Amino acid sequence: MTAPRTHHSRFGIASTTMVHAKGIRKSYGHLEVLKGVDLTVPSGSVACIIGPSGSGKSTFLRCINHLEEINAGLMLVDGDFVGYRLEGNKLYELPPSAICQRRAEIGMVFQQFNLFPHMTVLENLIEAPVRVKREPVAQATAKAIDLLQRVGLAEKRDSYPRQLSGGQQQRVAIARALAMNPKVLLFDEPTSALDPELVGEVLEVMKSLAREGITMVVVTHEIGFAREVADQLVFMDGGVVVESGNPREMIANPQSPRTREFLARVL
C-alpha cells in the first residue's frame, strides 16, 4: 500500500488528535464496505457513530485497531500507524507481535462481552496486563480490584462470567479494557445484546469514563446517550460519513435528508 503524501507533526496532524482517519476504504472481494471514510477524534473527546445496519460502522471501528486491514487511506492513532510501518512513502505490514503490542494501546469493548468463560472476573482483568505488558501479578491485581470498584463490581471478583448478568459482564469487559491503560476505547454497540433494563448500568459507566476525559469512539443505537455524552455525532450510511457535528444540533436539526430520515425512524 502506498502512503498518502502527508507530512508531519508526524503527518501534519495536530498532536491533540487521537484518531485520524482519512479516505478509509475497505472491501471484501467485490463488496466495498467503506468508501472513503474521514474522521478526526480529538484526545479526551467522545465520538458516537450511528447509522443503519450494514452502513460500515463496525467495520470502520475494527479498522481503527487493525482488526480489519484497510485497502486504502490513512489511519493513525495518537499520531502513528497501528498495523504498519512507513518506509519512504510505502506502508509495510508489521509482524503480528508488533501489531499486538500496538493494539494493546487501543481498548475494545465488543457487543458480546468476549470474556474468557473459564476465568474468574479478576483473572479476566489481569490476563492481558501480565501476559502482554509483563506487569507483576500483584500490581495487575491491585489495579484490577480498583477498576472493579470503579464499575461497581468489586464483590464479583471471584465470580465466573456465567454467574453474572449481561450488564455485569459488559461492565467487566469495560474494566478489562481499561486494565491495559489504553489511549483510546472503542465500543462496538456495547448495549445491543443487553436486556433493556440492564442498558442503563453500562451507559452510566461509560458516562463516568467520558467525564474522566477518556477518548472514546462508540458505535451505538443509544441516541439519548449520544446527545448527552458525545462531543461529536457521526452518521454513516452506505460506507461513507453522511453528516457529522455537534450531537444536540445534529439531532435537533439534521442537514442531510438521509440523516433526517434515519433519526425520524429511531427517535
Side-chain angles (χ1 to χ4, degrees), residues 216-236:
M216 300 196 283
V217 184
V218 185
V219 170
T220 185
H221 295 297
E222 303 289 341
I223 306 293
F225 172 81
R227 182 198 281 120
E228 185 183 341
V229 177
D231 301 288
Q232 178 181 187
L233 184 63
V234 179
F235 173 64
M236 283 184 68

Side-chain angles (χ1 to χ4, degrees), residues 2 16 29 33 35 64 87 114 116 124 135 168 180 185 202 209 219 256:
T2 303
T16 52
V33 179
K35 304 172 183 175
I64 296 175
E87 275 188 24
N114 288 17
F116 299 117
N124 263 281
E135 280 185 21
Q168 290 171 331
M180 294 293 281
L185 267 182
V202 173
L209 299 179
V219 170
S256 158

Side-chain angles (χ1 to χ4, degrees), residues 24-44:
I24 300 300
R25 291 182 174 271
K26 174 67 185 176
S27 298
Y28 301 99
H30 296 301
L31 177 67
E32 192 174 30
V33 179
L34 301 177
K35 304 172 183 175
V37 175
D38 297 344
L39 180 66
T40 298
V41 182
S43 291

